[in-house]
Structure formats: C-alpha cells, structure tokens
Amino acid sequence: MMILKNLGARVLLDNALYEDLKAWVSRHYRDELAPDDIRDPALLFEVRTALEELTDILNLGKLYDFQRA
C-alpha cells in the first residue's frame, strides 16, 4: 500500500474517481461535433478547459504546453 501512496497521480479507478470522471464527461463531452464547430476558435478554448480540468482531477500536473504558458 505504501507504493500506492507514492504514486502521486490519481490514476487508479475507485468509486470517487469514477464519479469525478462521470461528472467531467457530463460537463465536457459533446453529443455532436459539426464541421462549423471545428472552425470555431471557441472550440480550442473549450478543449483546453476540459483538458486542464482532467489533468487536475487526475493530479497529473501540467502535461500540455498550453498549461505552462
């Protein structure tokens, strides 16, 4: 068990993480993505917001270049 405490990241699925991930999907997952959505600059912000939140949920730190800018 001590090794799991040293893991740092929250990557082992338990009930709490499952619930957090379900809530994340509900907030950020689109049912549809149309061609006009791809051209919308707001989509980039939306995706980056979702990734930022996901890396926070999983305690992964700043993985992406946009998070370090």
Side-chain angles (χ1 to χ4, degrees), residues 25-56:
V25 167
S26 293
R27 285 189 301 277
H28 297 289
Y29 187 82
R30 289 179 173 218
D31 291 332
E32 296 179 358
L33 189 63
D36 285 340
D37 295 332
I38 301 295
R39 290 188 282 269
D40 184 357
L43 180 62
L44 178 61
F45 179 76
E46 181 182 324
V47 169
R48 286 180 173 181
T49 299
L51 286 172
E52 180 75 30
E53 186 178 330
L54 183 59
T55 57
D56 286 346

